[in-house]
Amino acid sequence: MPSPSLRPRIYLAGPDIFLAASAQRFQALKAACARHGLEGLEPSDGGIPADFAGSDDERAQRIYQANLLRIQQADAVLAHLCDFRGLEPDSGTVFEVGYAAALGKPIAAYGVAAQSYATRVAAVRRCATDADGTLRECDSGTIVEGLGQRLNLMLTGAATLHASPAEALAWLAQALRVGASGPGGRNG
């Protein structure tokens, strides 16, 4: 639980960093955090100066390390788990959620379609239910994860799902006040 004299820090995970208007997006998220008595921490660029002469691999490693540190320093994570370049959330955001879950931090997510993952897959890929009642992609025979979850069960087990960033932040503010350490299966 955060120190009562400090505002709880919320790491702002999501593909928003790739948007042309990412600065404005993070300003809006930080303002929403402030309305709940929270401090938003946007992903780090690794503090890399404009004249950095290192390789892309060195740049990537610095950004990776800086964001691990931000997640460690945060009290919780707000994750934008919208579909990104397909039917799944951004892989970097998924990693950040997993890392935060391993650290025992509360995670609230938003941007997830209301339908189950299986329903969304079946809408864009040819699928059929086999003799055992398992939904499979027709072309590959691959199982389409069911269980009625809106995302892979590892994500819905790690994070509470909310309709909006404001709703997710309200949940985080309350969870941090009562010292919650995880979603406990609540997927609003």
Side-chain angles (χ1 to χ4, degrees), residues 56-144:
D56 284 348
D57 285 343
E58 291 169 322
R59 181 184 302 269
Q61 190 62 27
R62 283 180 68 169
I63 293 168
Y64 168 77
Q65 291 295 333
N67 285 306
L68 290 184
L69 182 59
R70 287 243 168 124
I71 295 167
Q72 291 166 15
Q73 293 170 339
D75 298 297
V77 171
L78 175 69
H80 190 186
L81 293 178
C82 61
D83 291 349
F84 185 70
R85 299 182 178 139
L87 293 171
E88 296 277 345
D90 166 55
S91 59
T93 305
V94 170
F95 174 86
E96 291 171 333
V97 166
Y99 187 65
L103 294 173
K105 297 186 185 284
I107 305 158
Y110 67 98
V112 180
Q115 305 87 3
S116 73
Y117 180 70
T119 298
R120 295 194 328 269
V121 170
V124 298
R125 299 188 193 275
R126 234 171 29 91
C127 295
T129 304
D130 67 15
D132 295 326
T134 302
L135 184 65
R136 294 182 179 274
E137 291 184 35
C138 292
D139 294 338
S140 67
T142 304
I143 291 174
V144 178

Side-chain angles (χ1 to χ4, degrees), residues 124-172:
V124 298
R125 299 188 193 275
R126 234 171 29 91
C127 295
T129 304
D130 67 15
D132 295 326
T134 302
L135 184 65
R136 294 182 179 274
E137 291 184 35
C138 292
D139 294 338
S140 67
T142 304
I143 291 174
V144 178
E145 185 176 0
L147 305 175
Q149 301 299 296
R150 293 163 53 192
L151 293 170
N152 178 285
L153 65 88
M154 297 304 286
L155 287 171
T156 60
T160 61
L161 303 183
H162 302 274
S164 67
E167 184 182 295
L169 287 167
W171 183 86
L172 282 173

Side-chain angles (χ1 to χ4, degrees), residues 167-182:
E167 184 182 295
L169 287 167
W171 183 86
L172 282 173
Q174 177 62 29
L176 290 168
R177 277 195 291 278
V178 298
S181 62

